[in-house]
Amino acid sequence: MPPSLSNTYTYLSVLIWPSLLRPHLRVPSISHVDFRTLKKEGFNAVVIDKDNCLTLPHQDEVWPPYQRAWEGLLKTFEPGRVLVVSNSAGTRKDPGGIAAEAVSLSLRAPVLLHTVPKPGCASNILSYFEGKLDEPYTLQRDIVSFGLRLRKEEEKDKRRLWNRWEKQVSGPLLGGPTAEESSYISKSETISKSHLYGADISLEDCATTSRTLKTSENLRILVIGDRLFTDTLLANRLSSCLLSHESESSHLPRVLSIYTTSLPQPRDVRILRWVEERLSRNETQGDYTRFIRNNKELDVEGSNGVLKPTLWEPTRFLTPAWWREINVPPLTWHPRSWKILPLTVAVGRLLGKMARIIGVILLSLSKWGWERSKSFAKQWKERVQRSATAKEVETSPSEKNAQHDNGK
């Protein structure tokens, strides 16, 4: 797949080559991936999705069952080698990068800012890992640098005052700083150097991150995500970009795509997921099951199985739970609020109320008709019984006379 191909042509090419949607590995979650073995095999970079892969959609915190696996992933790879690439945070849907900032601070990993959504941001990802982009910038780094600069200025002012006072007054009261104060100052300077990526990564490590980034000749990337149309196709694009540096003796691909199937919120884009599974036929490229951890080694117990869509999957959007997830703008008398979605919902609610009223009326009429039919049937039955009794009374004297004549 050409790396410069637009997303539209990429999606259309899937209809011709559905094998592009087949990942190398299918796992329920990141807890089932053996990252240490992958690191030993030469993989030195990770591109991971956020929504439904690490966190719930539109949230910043790691989903609790994936917390230990995420901590292990950050410890396995070097600082700055785990890049979060999302189609929500860090895109045009995130003005000013506010959501990307929050996600970066919560996950303790850099978030890629890209204008082209996945899978069209392969060149930006390679530029980051090759050191062509600037260092990961976060608001926390700005706060730390400003705090260090402010503390240095305060220390200079303090030393200047002490030097001035030492020239004018002598004695222990206004003398220079004692040994305890000096040790306290050095400790406070050390503590104030907060961390950008976590408790075990200092600012000096982050400053050297761009210098330790490797070139594309020895770059091997893991692409982890829960969508085939975005993450798996992104892995194919990255593989196309790195194809010129492929080693003939390598038995593993330069880019390994990992597809997670256990979704914290399975109602997310349910129809598209059903289409993806149908096109990929639930198959993978090659056999890489040796990178899946055993059940005994899993950090998280009780993980869900693989999502298996059914033929009734496209009709799930008709359920009331799916409709409640839609955010409908309020409809007012102002013409600007007369949009398609609010008008459709308002007309639907009006028709629903009318149908409810008509249903109540029809139910009342049906009950009244049922009662009337029962009373009519009862009256008709009584009338039939009375007529039968009258016939018996009329025929009984004639039968007696006939029997009497026969006896004679």
Side-chain angles (χ1 to χ4, degrees), residues 151 155 159 179-193:
R151 180 171 291 276
E155 295 300 330
R159 293 192 187 97
E180 295 180 357
E181 292 177 349
S182 301
S183 62
Y184 174 77
I185 292 172
S186 61
K187 289 181 180 179
S188 61
E189 289 181 354
T190 304
I191 295 173
S192 63
K193 295 180 180 180

Side-chain angles (χ1 to χ4, degrees), residues 355-370:
R356 192 180 298 110
I357 294 173
I358 294 173
V360 171
I361 295 174
L362 292 177
L363 182 61
S364 302
L365 291 176
S366 62
K367 289 182 179 179
W368 178 80
W370 175 251

Side-chain angles (χ1 to χ4, degrees), residues 272-287:
L272 290 179
R273 295 184 188 277
W274 180 83
V275 174
E276 291 173 352
E277 292 292 340
R278 284 292 174 267
L279 291 176
S280 65
R281 297 181 180 179
N282 201 16
E283 297 179 358
T284 57
Q285 301 181 31
D287 185 13

Side-chain angles (χ1 to χ4, degrees), residues 70-239:
W70 175 244
E71 295 290 341
L73 175 60
L74 293 179
K75 291 180 180 179
T76 302
F77 292 88
E78 300 174 2
R81 304 297 290 178
V82 179
L83 180 64
V84 179
V85 182
S86 174
N87 271 353
S88 57
T91 60
R92 293 181 178 178
K93 301 177 183 179
D94 179 21
I98 299 176
E101 182 72 32
V103 172
S104 178
L105 294 177
S106 177
L107 301 182
R108 293 172 295 135
V111 177
L112 182 68
L113 300 178
H114 53 101
T115 56
V116 181
K118 294 185 296 185
C121 58
S123 58
N124 302 85
I125 295 174
L126 293 178
S127 298
Y128 167 77
F129 285 118
E130 293 173 2
K132 297 179 181 179
L133 300 181
D134 295 333
E135 298 179 12
Y137 177 82
T138 60
L139 183 60
Q140 185 176 2
R141 173 184 288 274
D142 192 11
I143 293 174
V144 170
S145 60
F146 179 76
L148 292 176
R149 186 168 61 253
L150 182 61
R151 180 171 291 276
K152 289 180 180 179
E153 293 177 357
E154 291 178 353
E155 295 300 330
K156 290 181 180 179
D157 294 339
K158 188 175 182 179
R159 293 192 187 97
R160 191 181 302 110
L161 288 174
W162 280 118
N163 293 332
R164 184 184 303 175
W165 289 341
E166 283 179 353
K167 295 178 181 179
Q168 297 178 0
V169 181
S170 61
L173 181 60
L174 295 179
T178 61
E180 295 180 357
E181 292 177 349
S182 301
S183 62
Y184 174 77
I185 292 172
S186 61
K187 289 181 180 179
S188 61
E189 289 181 354
T190 304
I191 295 173
S192 63
K193 295 180 180 180
S194 60
H195 301 154
L196 178 62
Y197 294 101
D200 54 346
I201 304 171
S202 61
L203 286 176
E204 287 77 6
D205 296 334
C206 296
T208 58
T209 299
S210 60
R211 293 193 295 270
T212 59
L213 291 176
K214 302 179 181 179
T215 60
S216 59
E217 295 181 357
N218 52 7
L219 187 63
R220 308 184 74 90
I221 307 176
L222 298 175
V223 179
I224 308 173
D226 64 304
R227 292 292 310 280
L228 298 178
F229 273 151
T230 56
D231 302 300
T232 305
L233 291 180
L234 175 62
N236 291 326
R237 281 202 170 188
L238 291 172
S239 179

Side-chain angles (χ1 to χ4, degrees), residues 31-32 34 289-299:
S31 304
H32 296 72
D34 191 354
T289 54
R290 64 182 183 276
F291 299 124
I292 300 178
R293 303 176 62 185
N294 299 327
N295 294 330
K296 298 180 180 180
E297 300 176 353
L298 293 179
D299 294 332

